[in-house]
Amino acid sequence: MTDAAVETDWRQRHAHDLMASYAPPLRLLVRGEGCWVWDDEGTRYLDFLGGIAVNSLGHAHPVVVAAVEDQVRRLVHISNYFASPSQLELAERLKRITGAGDAGRVYFGNSGAEANEAAFKLARRTGRPRILALKNAFHGRTMGALALTGKPALQGPFEPLPAGVEHIDSTVEALEQAIRDDVAMLIVEPIKGETGVVPLPAGYLRAARELTERSGALLVIDEIQTGLGRTGAWFDFQHEGVVPDAVTMAKGIAGGVPLGAMVTFGAASGLLQRGDHGSTFGGNPLATAAANAVLGEIERADLVGNAARRGEQIRAAVEAMGSPLVTEVRGRGLLIGVGTTDGAAPAIGAAALEAGLIVNPINPTSIRIAPPLIVGDEEVEAFTERFAAALAAS
């Protein structure tokens, strides 16, 4: 069979066998190492998307491989009728790095959407009828998480959605007008990743904390994309010095092994009671062992600090390119949005892929960049060369 026939074969198989809920895949990837991946034809790509901010330690990191291999030999799954050492260790670790402390509690699921579904139920348990979320925010595609997502185009085909959610502008003024003592929860992303890596206005989180405390509403911060070291702190809310009532997380927690979590603070930890929520696979020994390995390595190697330093380096490199196609560089740490002239982002993304660089044209005017937290000088240099070539070719 010719190479062309093999390529056609996998593309045809994907189209024939998988649900058409995604765009056709760009390449058939077969292996990875560090910040690099290879396709079925042997072409090497610099992965500056990291599985959409998932692969915190890159690909095939030895500590993840060792942890998973060891845990598979012991226990993979036991159900939540039982506890496992790795689950207990991870819960303690998450309480520590979030700052939830002794009064904090952890709920484990399998994804970010599931973590936000848990937050939705947490809000319902307050007995208050209204939930506030932000326009253009993204919180997931399951029905509760989709109701929280402020994107009407995603919601329309699936209405009616769970009721009681109101979407407001991302301004303090809009929040002041909307919040009253019947609001159960305000949920926010500190940086709107799926909108093009757009940070909240300066001071918004501090004002939101003050307003929610005054009204008795929960402040839930969705750190599924920003959390676990990506923005140069364990969690982005820590840059602002606020303490939420709950934080949701997933993506970067376990190096690509599916896992999500919600951590509650203070009185919010007592809202969900026995039987209120559950997950068959949530917090299983395999996923939590992987997460402990990932988070332990992030801490040991100061990859939170590396994210802060390398993020500044990458943003400066893009700005120094002086391309007329680049209008803005946004974000924090290793979650970076490159604003482009209208309609230019898809062509830049395609040219980058041809140059051996994976970035994400998230919309017509934004490129999302989210490399592994292990990125170093060699990878930044390769990114600079390849992204400049992509801009020049677009």
Side-chain angles (χ1 to χ4, degrees):
M1 184 179 293
T2 66
D3 290 343
V6 171
E7 178 180 354
T8 301
D9 181 58
W10 76 258
R11 292 183 188 276
Q12 287 180 343
R13 289 166 62 195
H14 187 279
H16 184 267
D17 295 328
L18 275 75
M19 193 72 69
S21 55
Y22 296 106
L26 299 169
R27 296 290 190 274
L28 181 64
L29 300 181
V30 296
R31 69 181 182 93
E33 183 178 345
C35 295
W36 301 87
V37 292
W38 285 259
D39 68 15
D40 60 317
E41 297 179 346
T43 303
R44 187 174 78 149
Y45 302 87
L46 180 62
D47 183 4
F48 260 47
L49 182 58
I52 315 181
V54 166
N55 299 318
S56 301
L57 302 185
H59 302 276
H61 194 287
V63 304
V64 179
V65 172
V68 169
E69 285 184 345
D70 178 69
Q71 191 61 51
V72 165
R73 292 189 181 96
R74 297 170 183 267
L75 287 170
V76 172
H77 177 74
I78 56 175
S79 89
N80 283 302
Y81 286 116
F82 304 92
S84 69
S86 59
Q87 179 195 62
L88 300 177
E89 179 185 348
L90 182 58
E92 292 168 354
R93 186 189 299 270
L94 293 180
K95 288 171 60 176
R96 174 172 60 84
I97 65 175
T98 58
D102 188 60
R105 294 293 182 270
V106 180
Y107 172 81
F108 288 120
N110 305 285
S111 66
E114 289 185 33
N116 284 336
E117 292 282 351
F120 203 137
K121 279 191 166 181
L122 192 76
R124 286 285 196 248
R125 260 304 192 177
T126 68
R128 296 182 173 195
R130 298 173 61 217
I131 291 173
L132 301 180
L134 302 184
K135 293 177 181 178
N136 292 316
F138 184 87
H139 298 290
R141 295 178 185 269
T142 53
M143 292 298 281
L146 185 59
L148 299 174
T149 292
K151 294 177 178 285
L154 298 181
Q155 295 174 324
F158 306 104
E159 293 176 337
L161 296 170
V165 182
E166 303 166 33
H167 294 93
I168 62 175
D169 291 331
S170 302
T171 65
V172 174
E173 293 76 15
L175 180 57
E176 287 174 334
Q177 292 172 13
I179 198 159
R180 295 189 296 275
D181 61 8
D182 61 348
V183 171
M185 170 178 73
L186 168 67
I187 185 168
V188 300
E189 297 172 281
I191 300 174
K192 296 178 183 177
E194 300 301 313
T195 302
V197 189
V198 179
L200 289 175
Y204 183 94
L205 279 183
R206 291 190 296 275
R209 177 69 286 182
E210 181 181 339
L211 290 166
T212 51
E213 281 186 341
R214 190 183 306 166
S215 68
L218 300 174
L219 174 61
V220 177
I221 302 182
D222 177 342
E223 295 252 13
I224 288 159
Q225 195 159 155
T226 53
L228 301 158
R230 179 145 299 275
T231 69
W234 273 117
F235 295 91
D236 196 75
F237 71 80
Q238 292 166 341
H239 290 292
E240 304 297 324
V242 302
V243 177
D245 295 292
V247 58
T248 57
M249 65 197 75
K251 288 189 181 296
I253 194 170
V257 177
L259 181 65
M262 176 181 70
V263 179
T264 54
F265 294 62
S269 297
L271 286 171
L272 292 181
Q273 300 298 310
R274 182 178 298 179
D276 278 352
H277 201 36
S279 169
T280 296
F281 295 102
N284 69 70
L286 179 62
T288 51
N292 283 315
V294 169
L295 300 182
E297 178 64 12
I298 289 174
E299 200 159 22
R300 185 203 66 78
D302 186 29
L303 297 183
V304 176
N306 192 60
R309 294 185 292 270
R310 298 301 182 181
E312 291 179 1
Q313 191 177 358
I314 292 166
R315 287 191 297 275
V318 174
E319 290 168 350
M321 292 173 192
S323 171
L325 297 178
V326 175
T327 61
E328 184 182 17
V329 184
R330 304 180 292 264
R332 187 145 52 185
L334 289 176
L335 184 61
I336 299 168
V338 178
T340 73
T341 55
D342 193 22
I348 295 169
L353 192 63
E354 290 301 316
L357 170 66
I358 298 173
V359 293
N360 178 219
I362 191 64
N363 60 43
T365 60
S366 301
I367 301 285
R368 175 169 51 183
I369 297 170
L373 306 187
I374 61 170
V375 63
D377 287 333
E378 176 188 347
E379 291 82 13
V380 172
E381 181 179 351
F383 163 80
T384 302
E385 294 173 356
R386 295 174 190 215
F387 195 67
L391 290 171
S394 300

